[in-house]
């Protein structure tokens, strides 16, 4: 039987392989190649093809000398850390509340999941107005409901804009992650808590000793998803600040690099994209390794 | 789950035939026109479309036009279009910096190599100093038009402030006034708006006294200048450009700037910063004066459109804008557009600061910036047939009577090739520009030759982020702005 | 008693969160019926009159029915392609326990780490070169981008079911393809549902890929229409009286679908995560 499967492995995987090579592998390899050339998007400078305009590591050196790229690098890391923490806390809190209440959980779950259905672009338009007009004037402005200067004009300041973006993505992603946490919480046997209560453990101790360890698989997944999504965030960044005030995230930076010079430096944009790939790969693999190990230790 | 599977298969059955229909539709779109114009100037979108329709009507050729909104970067879209099968035959290039990409990539057709007689004549007649040229002999574009900008002022408002019939003299004297006199004017009007103090000011030797009672019109004023703090091109590109004229004659001159020229920007850029500080201290808002701060650069309430609106509703005396704003102003207030005029943007320069061929600070302060904002380029990779249609269209637009009608009336442009002695348009601002051209009181647009993004996205951004949100500017700030501009220029050139 | 208090507190907290979550949507709703000046002047209040003109104008502006149809076609066909290709591959990779199959699995899974930006520009050149810079090409691209996660999910599922059933069919003389469609594929339906849901959700709302592939051609997706509606409107930098109703009508279909299928969607999301 095994022989039979082996014989059919390639023919049956053929549609997937063709798609995969056409859409991912070939462009990715080409992209890595182009990152070593002075590619201009519509043509190659200094030659008729990629090989004739080979420039070695120049694009990479330039990328790491590029102030905007370095800023975007740091800003992306700051944003991702803040957003991952915020999303995890909110989604876990929502999940625990919903699993604790006896009735109506389904309705709340539906409501919290709703923002996930809306595209980043549409959301960005609405939130831009909310931050610029509603927050800055109606709610928290000098003549507003309560004057909170930190919540006004959030899109005109590097640090405030980071939190504006965190608010937006938390609003958007928390519902999705909440679903995963609910599934995780439902797998924890009730009697564990009952036993702990008999032993006299408080709510906090129960959370630390039972909930957290038992939830580790879900935490791994949520961390993985939030990390990946926040690292690659683009639409919302463009819609809110369009990268002004040094608020470019890496994805935006790569997209906008071609606007920074004339002729547009697609070669350097491609080099930045390769660095971006390495960064994502390293961070996610390390994260998976660490959380998986914790899962094992806790079990 | 079974339900879901059923729903999905139903969707599939529905989708397949529609795709084949869509496929046919796409093919038809591909061959549905003879000429595709990619227009980079959003303001003239509708007028260009109308002109194209008229051209179709006269020649039977089908024309497709596409424009993005004003102030939007259309380059990404243009690149995508140039890379596609249905690429545009006519596209637009803004300046010699942008030209680099399209020349190097072989997209821009050198008009001096064209053999078609009518078009050759058109191309040869483009004035030397208006050509889009990378080396002085080639030429890659037909100018859209010429544009100019300065402080736009409503002459009825001048009458309302200084008495009926004062506008004509005021315009002449304000044009010749020194920066200090202009400053006094702004301070006096500001005091009048806020405290009803009817002071007198002297402009070029003449005394103007504010009326003791405000009129209906002048009581609408909330400040002296309408300012778009969120649109950095207004104070980045355009205001900086005035200062650059002190050193450079034109874009080509700026593109080939020497170290000494760049260093000598210190004085003009300091004057620029000082003037901007002054100007932004007297800003008008929707419901009262506005001051610098985060609100000053709010992208929904302090953008170009809101500034235009503030001015069009007579809430500000001046707006620094060009004749392209005419149609936008008209949309808000039909009345005001008939009585608009330009006065020059003035900077606190000394003659020592002015090393370009403008020669004196006085001459610079009495001139407005007039230049070609955009060029029609022909796609060298198009088929010969497409190129021919493109040339026919450009010849028609710029020489035929019906084509010119669209240029001067619908687009409200000042044509680059018009005999300026003979034309007046329906557009008050264009007429004002033509008068400045007749008098020879015009300066150029060297910012078009500055390093890419230097004026708007670098210097303008620095000012937006660090200074427009700051209450008080100091001498050190002026100097820091100038130094920043110079060091960035050196870095980016 | 303590439990009752706790529950009351929780309900209050949940309701507050729910209100915060729904506020932007409600905000979108009320502002879809107002004029520009009314939106700017009083964004938080109910419209003076429920004027459907703005919604009608916006629907025309974004060619609502056409763009909805195009988005629908693109999403459905892309997802169908993903389901077909990845269920076959996931099955084959899980069953053939060879070096090649594990290399393939690693390759498919590792591709999840490649950011779109790293392949974006070369992908477009490639597809342009072969004349696929159109809706068909867009569908193929989605097919490729959806593979990684989907193959991973199918692979995980197939590993959990014993091969005995399909082997019986194979021994009976049914071919590999026939066995797959008659025996294996029906078994996979819960995974298929997950794959459909997870992929539809991002493809429906995707903006960058349609922008790069279709650009300003006449057949635009819903998000693309929305983008161009905002970008080509000249007069006001932000024509809210157009943007709000346009966004509003553009999200109605997806909300309806969600409310109809929410049980499946929620299960799809949690299954996708747990197996992933």
């Amino acid at each position: 039987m095994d022989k039979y499967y082996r014989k059919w492995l390639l023919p049956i995987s053929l549609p997937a392989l063709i798609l995969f090579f056409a859409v991912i592998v070939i462009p990715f390899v080409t992209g890595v190649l182009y990152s070593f050339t002075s590619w201009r998007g519509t043509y190659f400078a200094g030659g008729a093809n990629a090989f004739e305009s080979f420039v070695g590591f120049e694009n990479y050196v330039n990328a790491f000398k590029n102030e905007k790229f370095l800023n975007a690098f740091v800003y992306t890391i700051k944003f991702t850390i803040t957003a991952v923490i915020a999303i995890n806390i909110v989604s876990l809190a929502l999940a625990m509340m919903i699993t604790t209440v006896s009735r109506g959980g389904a309705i709340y779950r539906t409501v919290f999941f709703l923002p996930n259905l809306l595209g980043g672009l549409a959301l960005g338009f609405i939130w831009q107005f909310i931050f610029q007009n509603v927050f800055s004037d109606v709610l928290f402005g000098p003549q507003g409901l309560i004057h909170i200067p930190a919540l006004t004009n959030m899109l005109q300041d590097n640090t405030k804009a980071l939190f504006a973006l965190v608010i937006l993505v938390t609003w958007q992603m928390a519902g999705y992650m909440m679903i995963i946490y609910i599934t995780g919480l439902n797998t924890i046997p009730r009697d564990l808590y009952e036993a702990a209560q008999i032993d006299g453990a408080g709510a906090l101790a129960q959370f630390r000793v039972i909930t957290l360890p038992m939830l580790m698989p879900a935490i791994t997944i949520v961390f993985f998803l939030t990390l990946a999504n926040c690292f690659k965030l683009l639409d919302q960044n463009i819609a809110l600040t369009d990268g002004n005030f040094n608020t470019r995230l890496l994805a935006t930076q790569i997209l906008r690099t071609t606007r920074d010079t004339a002729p547009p430096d697609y070669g350097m944009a491609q080099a930045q994209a390769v660095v971006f790939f390495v960064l994502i790969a390293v961070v996610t693999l390390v994260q998976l390794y660490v959380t998986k190990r914790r899962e094992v230790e806790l079990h | 789950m079974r339900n879901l599977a059923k729903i999905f298969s139903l969707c599939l059955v529905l989708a397949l035939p529609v795709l084949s229909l869509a496929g046919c539709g796409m093919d038809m779109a591909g061959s549905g026109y003879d000429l595709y114009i990619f227009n980079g100037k959003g303001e003239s979108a509708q007028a260009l479309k109308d002109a194209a329709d008229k051209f179709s009507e006269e020649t039977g050729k089908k024309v497709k036009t596409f424009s993005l909104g004003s102030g939007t970067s259309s380059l990404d879209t243009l690149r995508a279009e140039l890379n596609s099968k249905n690429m545009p035959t006519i596209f637009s290039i803004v300046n010699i910096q942008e030209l680099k990409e399209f020349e190097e990539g072989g997209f821009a057709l050198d008009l001096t190599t064209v053999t078609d007689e009518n078009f050759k004549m058109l191309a040869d007649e483009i004035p030397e100093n208006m050509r889009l040229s990378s080396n002085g002999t080639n030429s890659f574009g037909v100018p859209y038009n010429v544009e100019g900008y300065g402080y736009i002022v409503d002459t009825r408002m001048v009458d309302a402030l200084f008495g009926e019939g004062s506008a004509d003299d005021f315009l002449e004297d304000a044009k010749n006034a020194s920066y200090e006199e202009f400053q006094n004017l702004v301070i006096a009007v500001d005091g009048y708006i806020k405290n009803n103090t009817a002071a007198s000011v002297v402009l070029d030797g003449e005394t103007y006294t504010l009326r003791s009672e405000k009129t209906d019109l002048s009581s609408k004023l909330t400040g002296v200048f309408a300012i778009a703090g969120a649109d950095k091109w207004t104070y980045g590109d355009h205001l900086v450009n005035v200062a650059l004229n002190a050193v450079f004659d034109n874009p080509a001159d700026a593109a080939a700037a020497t170290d000494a020229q760049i260093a000598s920007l210190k004085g003009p850029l300091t004057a620029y910063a000082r003037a901007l500080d002054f100007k932004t201290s007297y800003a008008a808002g929707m419901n009262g004066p506005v001051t610098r701060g985060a609100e000053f650069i709010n992208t929904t309430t302090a953008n170009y459109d809101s500034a235009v609106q503030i001015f069009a509703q007579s809430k500000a005396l001046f707006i620094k804008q060009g004749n392209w704003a005419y149609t936008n102003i008209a949309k808000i207030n039909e009345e005001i557009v008939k009585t608009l005029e330009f006065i020059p943007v003035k900077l606190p320069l000394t003659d020592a600061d002015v090393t370009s061929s403008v020669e004196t600070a006085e001459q610079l302060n009495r001139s407005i910036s007039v230049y070609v904002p955009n060029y029609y380029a022909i796609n060298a990779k198009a088929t010969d047939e497409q190129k021919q249609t493109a040339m026919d269209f450009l010849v028609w637009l710029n020489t035929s009577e019906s084509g010119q009608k669209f240029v001067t009336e619908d687009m409200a442009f000042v044509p680059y090739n018009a005999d300026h002695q003979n034309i007046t348009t329906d557009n008050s601002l264009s007429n004002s520009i033509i008068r400045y051209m007749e008098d020879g009181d015009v300066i150029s647009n060297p910012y078009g030759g500055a390093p890419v993004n230097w004026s708007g996205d670098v210097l303008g951004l620095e000012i937006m982020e660090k200074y427009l949100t700051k209450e008080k500017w100091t001498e050190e700030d002026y100097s820091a702005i100038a130094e920043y501009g110079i060091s960035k220029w050196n870095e980016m050139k | 008693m303590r439990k009752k208090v706790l529950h009351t507190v929780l309900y209050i907290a949940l309701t507050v969160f729910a209100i915060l979550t729904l506020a932007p949507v409600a905000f979108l709703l009320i502002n879809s019926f107002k004029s520009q000046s009314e939106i700017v002047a009083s964004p938080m209040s109910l419209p003076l009159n429920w004027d459907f003109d703005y919604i009608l104008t916006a629907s025309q502006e974004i060619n609502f029915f056409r763009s909805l149809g195009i988005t629908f076609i693109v999403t459905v066909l892309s997802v169908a392609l993903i389901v077909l290709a990845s269920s076959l591959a996931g099955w084959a990779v899980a069953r053939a326990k060879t070096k090649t199959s594990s290399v393939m699995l690693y390759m498919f899974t590792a591709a999840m780490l490649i950011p779109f930006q790293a392949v974006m520009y070369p992908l477009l050149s490639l597809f342009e070169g072969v004349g696929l810079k159109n809706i068909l090409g867009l569908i193929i691209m989605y097919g490729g981008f959806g593979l990684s996660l989907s193959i991973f999910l199918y692979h995980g599922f197939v590993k959990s079911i014993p091969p005995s059933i399909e082997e019986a069919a194979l021994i009976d003389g049914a071919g590999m393809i026939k066995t797959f469609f008659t025996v294996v594929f029906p078994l996979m339906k819960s995974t298929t549902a997950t794959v459909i849901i997870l992929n539809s959700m991002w493809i429906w709302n995707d903006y960058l890929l349609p922008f790069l592939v279709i650009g300003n051609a006449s057949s635009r997706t819903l998000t693309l229409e929305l983008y161009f509606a905002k970008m080509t409107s000249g007069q006001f930098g932000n024509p809210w009286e157009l943007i709000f109703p346009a966004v509003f009508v553009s999200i109605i279909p997806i909300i309806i679908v969600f409310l109809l299928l929410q049980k499946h969607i929620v299960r799809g999301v949690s299954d996708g995560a747990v197996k992933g």
Side-chain angles (χ1 to χ4, degrees):
Chain A
M1 209 73 241
D2 280 359
K3 220 174 94 193
Y4 202 63
Y5 281 124
R6 252 173 250 161
K7 194 183 101 189
W8 279 90
L9 170 65
L10 288 178
I12 281 200
S13 315
L14 200 62
L17 284 172
I18 292 174
L19 278 177
F20 191 67
F21 272 85
V23 178
I24 309 225
V25 178
I26 297 175
F28 183 67
V29 173
T30 324
V32 174
L33 174 70
Y34 283 8
S35 72
F36 295 101
T37 69
S38 41
W39 186 38
R40 295 288 173 262
T42 42
Y43 63 95
F44 290 95
N49 57 48
F51 298 102
E52 286 176 25
S53 75
F54 192 74
V55 292
F57 280 93
E58 197 185 297
N59 288 327
Y60 289 87
V61 175
N62 287 344
F64 279 105
K65 279 192 203 152
N66 187 314
E67 215 179 299
K68 287 184 173 166
F69 178 66
L70 296 175
N71 273 331
F73 206 104
V74 175
Y75 201 72
T76 307
I77 291 172
K78 280 200 265 181
F79 163 73
T80 307
I81 293 174
T82 323
V84 166
I85 293 173
I87 296 171
N88 272 280
I89 291 176
V90 172
S91 57
L92 184 56
L94 292 178
M96 290 180 66
M97 288 197 276
I98 285 184
T99 46
T100 311
V101 300
S102 39
R103 250 175 291 168
I107 296 170
Y108 288 113
R109 200 181 56 186
T110 308
V111 169
F112 296 137
F113 189 77
L114 200 70
N116 266 288
L117 303 165
L118 316 182
L121 196 72
L123 289 177
F125 290 158
I126 306 171
W127 277 91
Q128 193 194 26
F129 188 87
I130 293 179
F131 283 125
Q132 299 270 39
N133 290 43
V134 180
F135 271 39
S136 297
D137 285 341
V138 186
L139 292 180
F140 309 118
Q143 277 96 41
L145 223 53
I146 359 163
H147 185 38
I148 307 175
L151 291 176
T152 60
N153 296 303
M154 291 187 78
L155 306 183
Q156 277 92 46
D157 177 277
N158 182 282
T159 314
K160 281 187 192 177
L162 186 117
F163 287 99
L165 208 51
V166 170
I167 291 175
L168 171 50
V169 296
T170 307
W171 177 76
Q172 195 182 0
M173 291 183 201
Y176 193 104
M177 304 307 156
M178 172 199 74
I179 303 261
I180 300 172
Y181 276 136
I182 289 178
T183 317
L185 287 170
N186 284 339
T187 60
I188 304 177
R190 289 278 136 207
D191 45 356
L192 280 182
Y193 290 105
E194 281 156 22
Q197 256 165 358
I198 294 165
D199 289 350
L204 209 66
Q206 285 179 34
F207 177 76
R208 210 164 39 91
V209 181
I210 304 169
T211 317
L212 218 49
M214 295 295 285
L215 211 54
M216 239 11 235
I219 294 177
T220 307
I221 298 155
V222 172
F223 260 81
F224 174 78
L225 290 174
T226 44
L227 257 180
N229 286 336
C230 293
F231 252 117
K232 298 182 194 168
L233 200 76
L234 173 77
D235 293 10
Q236 292 87 338
N237 188 215
I238 288 184
L240 285 190
T241 55
D242 204 9
N244 281 341
F245 305 94
N246 275 326
T247 58
R248 281 184 184 179
L249 294 175
L250 276 171
T252 314
Q253 163 64 19
I254 293 164
L255 195 68
R256 290 281 192 262
T257 296
T258 56
R259 283 193 196 172
D260 292 343
T261 54
D265 201 341
Y266 279 78
M268 190 173 76
Q270 201 58 51
Q272 295 179 8
V274 173
V275 175
F276 187 33
F277 159 67
V278 173
L279 179 72
I280 289 181
V282 169
V283 170
T284 22
L285 292 178
V286 167
Q287 182 260 331
L288 283 179
Y289 176 74
V290 171
T291 38
K292 282 271 184 208
R293 218 179 54 176
R294 260 189 84 71
E295 269 178 52
V296 176
E297 277 169 10
L298 286 163
H299 271 245
Chain B
M1 281 307 140
R2 176 141 304 161
N3 274 339
L4 197 65
K6 265 188 199 151
I7 293 168
F8 191 73
S9 9
L10 190 69
C11 288
L12 254 182
V13 173
L14 279 171
L16 277 167
V18 190
L19 179 80
S20 50
L21 282 176
C24 297
M26 275 170 350
D27 288 341
M28 270 165 58
S31 54
Y33 46 84
D34 304 295
L35 174 63
Y36 172 11
I37 305 174
F38 188 99
N39 170 33
K41 202 167 173 57
E43 292 87 346
S44 64
Q46 188 57 42
L48 185 68
K49 191 177 177 306
D50 294 343
D53 289 347
K54 180 80 180 164
F55 177 73
S56 301
E57 201 180 288
E58 289 184 15
T59 60
K61 303 271 188 194
K62 285 218 179 73
V63 187
K64 170 187 168 183
T65 60
F66 178 79
S67 320
L68 282 184
S70 46
T72 323
S73 166
S74 57
L75 269 179
D76 289 338
T77 319
L78 174 58
R79 258 173 230 140
E81 290 295 284
L82 282 175
N83 263 336
S84 75
K85 196 166 60 189
N86 300 316
M87 53 186 177
T89 318
I90 295 180
F91 60 99
S92 56
I93 297 180
V94 175
N95 57 31
I96 54 173
Q97 296 289 8
E98 210 176 278
L99 169 66
K100 281 186 201 162
E101 171 185 359
F102 299 111
E103 188 189 1
E104 206 179 45
F107 290 103
L109 181 73
D110 185 352
L111 307 184
T112 57
T113 64
V114 168
T115 50
D116 179 82
E117 251 176 57
N118 289 328
F119 189 76
K120 198 170 165 43
M121 208 151 74
L122 181 80
D124 288 347
E125 277 173 4
I126 300 168
E128 200 85 28
N129 62 351
M130 288 185 189
R131 289 192 186 176
L132 182 66
S133 174
S134 58
N135 62 8
T137 52
N138 55 17
S139 170
F140 291 98
V142 177
Y144 266 55
N145 62 328
V146 290
E147 286 187 344
Y149 63 88
Y151 287 127
I152 300 176
V153 59
D154 176 12
T155 50
R156 291 175 315 152
M157 184 63 84
V158 173
D159 284 344
L161 288 171
F162 298 107
E164 285 306 320
S166 61
D168 283 353
D169 290 339
F170 174 88
L171 286 175
E172 190 57 29
D173 291 330
K175 177 182 171 186
N176 294 324
S178 67
Y179 179 78
E180 288 70 29
E181 287 174 324
F182 179 73
Q183 234 177 348
N184 291 335
L185 167 74
V186 171
I187 294 168
V189 173
D190 182 65
Y192 187 64
I193 294 168
K194 287 177 185 153
N195 314 317
N196 278 315
T197 37
S200 295
V201 284
V202 177
L203 294 172
D204 196 31
E206 297 291 322
T207 305
Y208 291 86
T209 308
L210 287 153
R211 285 193 197 199
S212 50
E213 286 295 317
K214 282 186 187 171
T215 67
D216 285 349
L217 192 63
S218 62
S219 51
K220 286 186 187 167
L221 290 172
T222 65
V224 183
F225 298 100
I227 295 172
D231 274 310
K232 43 191 188 283
W233 55 273
T234 58
Y235 45 86
D237 296 332
H238 288 159
L239 194 61
V240 169
N241 182 52
V242 179
L244 296 187
N245 269 287
V247 177
F248 303 110
D249 287 345
N250 51 47
D253 196 12
T258 62
D259 288 348
Q261 277 178 315
I262 298 171
S264 67
L265 282 170
K266 179 78 205 259
L269 286 180
T270 310
Y272 154 80
R274 199 183 298 275
L276 184 63
D277 175 23
F278 178 74
K279 187 185 164 200
T280 49
S281 304
Y282 297 92
M286 276 297 168
N287 310 309
V290 288
T291 51
R292 287 195 297 250
E295 195 66 24
F296 206 82
I297 52 171
N298 185 313
T299 50
T300 58
T301 57
N303 59 13
Y304 166 65
D305 295 306
S306 18
V308 165
Q309 195 169 4
I310 286 169
F311 177 78
Q313 295 177 345
S314 301
K315 289 174 180 166
L317 176 59
F318 298 122
I319 182 169
K320 183 192 61 52
Q321 272 306 335
N323 54 325
W324 56 82
Y326 183 88
T327 39
N328 291 9
I329 298 172
K331 270 188 209 158
I332 300 165
N333 186 347
E334 280 280 354
E335 274 305 297
I336 195 172
V337 287
K338 296 172 198 146
T339 50
L340 299 179
E341 291 283 346
F342 281 112
I343 67 165
V345 172
K346 294 172 193 292
L347 298 179
L349 291 162
T350 63
D351 284 350
D353 290 328
V354 185
T355 53
S356 67
S357 60
V358 180
E359 286 179 348
T360 63
E362 193 204 339
Q363 180 58 35
L364 201 124
N365 276 339
R366 53 177 285 129
S367 304
I368 64 171
S369 179
V370 173
Y371 57 94
V372 177
N374 234 324
Y375 293 87
Y376 296 107
I378 295 179
N379 187 348
K381 296 188 176 174
T383 65
D384 286 345
E385 199 186 336
Q386 287 172 324
K387 282 187 218 166
Q388 188 58 49
T389 316
M391 290 186 229
D392 292 346
F393 175 76
L394 290 176
V395 170
W396 173 83
L397 184 69
N398 289 297
T399 59
S400 79
E401 203 176 304
S402 46
Q404 283 288 280
K405 196 178 139 297
F406 283 103
V407 175
T408 55
E409 289 175 20
D410 296 46
M411 299 179 194
F413 280 174
V414 181
Y416 75 94
N417 59 351
D419 177 6
H420 297 129
Q421 306 294 336
N422 293 334
I423 66 158
T424 46
T425 67
D426 289 340
N427 179 322
S428 55
L429 288 175
S430 297
N431 291 340
S432 186
I433 288 176
I434 293 167
R435 276 196 295 280
Y436 274 90
M437 290 168 86
E438 284 169 1
D439 294 343
D441 292 329
V442 291
I443 50 177
S444 173
N445 63 325
Y447 82 96
V452 182
N453 295 339
W454 173 82
S455 52
D457 284 347
V458 175
L459 186 57
L461 186 70
E462 170 87 354
I463 285 166
M464 176 167 96
E465 294 184 356
K466 287 214 185 122
Y467 296 98
L468 290 185
T469 50
K470 187 175 171 187
E471 229 172 282
K472 283 256 177 299
W473 297 12
T474 61
E475 287 294 325
E476 286 77 53
D477 289 335
Y478 304 151
S479 177
I481 290 173
E483 291 295 344
Y484 181 82
I486 291 169
S487 73
K488 282 291 168 187
W489 188 310
N490 278 317
E491 206 175 285
M492 296 167 72
K493 69 181 175 191
Chain C
M1 186 59 208
R2 250 190 80 190
K3 205 173 168 191
K4 211 169 178 188
V5 174
L6 176 74
H7 275 216
T8 320
V9 172
L10 286 182
Y11 275 118
I12 292 171
L14 280 171
T15 310
V16 169
F17 267 109
I19 291 171
L20 286 178
T21 307
L22 288 179
V25 182
F27 180 74
L28 175 66
L29 174 74
I30 57 173
N31 283 304
S32 296
F33 295 91
K34 296 180 190 171
S35 69
Q36 178 81 13
S37 51
E38 199 184 339
I39 293 171
V40 175
S42 48
M44 302 290 273
S45 47
L46 288 175
L48 294 174
N49 41 25
W50 296 85
D51 192 344
F52 277 85
D53 282 1
Y54 301 105
I55 288 187
L56 289 178
T57 317
S59 308
Q60 276 165 5
E61 190 69 29
I62 63 169
N63 297 305
F64 180 64
F65 288 104
R66 199 184 61 187
S67 54
L68 180 70
I70 291 170
T71 314
F72 175 77
I73 292 164
V74 169
T75 309
V76 169
L77 293 183
S78 310
V79 171
L81 191 60
I82 293 171
V83 167
L84 185 72
S86 52
S87 59
L88 280 167
W91 178 53
V93 167
R95 287 292 184 244
K97 299 179 187 87
T98 61
K99 263 218 176 88
T100 325
S101 74
S102 39
V103 168
M104 276 165 66
L105 182 67
Y106 272 120
M107 198 176 65
F108 284 129
T109 329
M112 273 193 254
L113 300 176
I114 299 179
F116 176 65
Q117 279 74 15
V119 295
M120 168 169 78
Y121 297 125
L123 177 69
L124 289 169
S125 316
L126 179 70
F127 272 61
E128 175 60 36
V130 295
L132 275 174
K133 210 167 154 241
N134 51 31
I135 289 202
L136 184 63
L138 184 64
I139 291 168
I140 295 176
M141 290 183 197
Y142 280 133
F145 287 121
L147 279 182
S148 290
L149 179 66
S150 312
I151 290 183
F152 186 68
L153 290 173
Y154 276 118
H155 171 265
F157 178 77
V158 174
K159 259 195 348 192
S160 73
I161 50 168
S164 48
I165 310 169
E166 50 194 83
E167 279 170 6
L170 285 171
I171 289 162
D172 282 353
M176 206 69 178
I177 304 285
K178 195 179 167 206
T179 308
F180 177 78
F181 283 107
T182 52
V183 181
V184 183
F185 193 69
L187 281 175
M188 293 173 158
K189 63 189 175 210
S190 69
T191 308
T192 303
T194 305
V195 166
I196 290 175
I197 285 157
L198 291 182
N199 284 298
S200 314
M201 274 174 57
W202 74 271
I203 293 175
W204 183 275
N205 284 317
D206 190 37
Y207 143 74
L208 189 57
L209 199 55
F211 174 74
L212 294 168
V213 176
I214 307 177
N216 63 22
S218 53
S219 34
R220 299 177 187 155
T221 61
L222 212 48
T223 45
L224 214 47
E225 285 284 359
L226 211 54
Y227 173 79
F228 279 105
K230 182 168 189 272
M231 286 313 176
T232 49
S233 51
Q235 166 59 45
F236 288 97
N238 287 306
W240 299 114
E241 65 176 19
L242 170 66
I243 294 174
F244 278 117
V247 171
F248 180 63
V249 294
S250 76
I251 66 170
I252 289 176
I254 189 114
I255 289 188
I256 291 174
V257 171
F258 171 64
L259 293 179
L260 289 177
L261 299 179
Q262 53 164 310
K263 252 192 212 144
H264 298 292
I265 291 177
V266 168
R267 193 182 309 156
V269 166
S270 59
D271 282 2
V274 173
K275 287 170 194 159

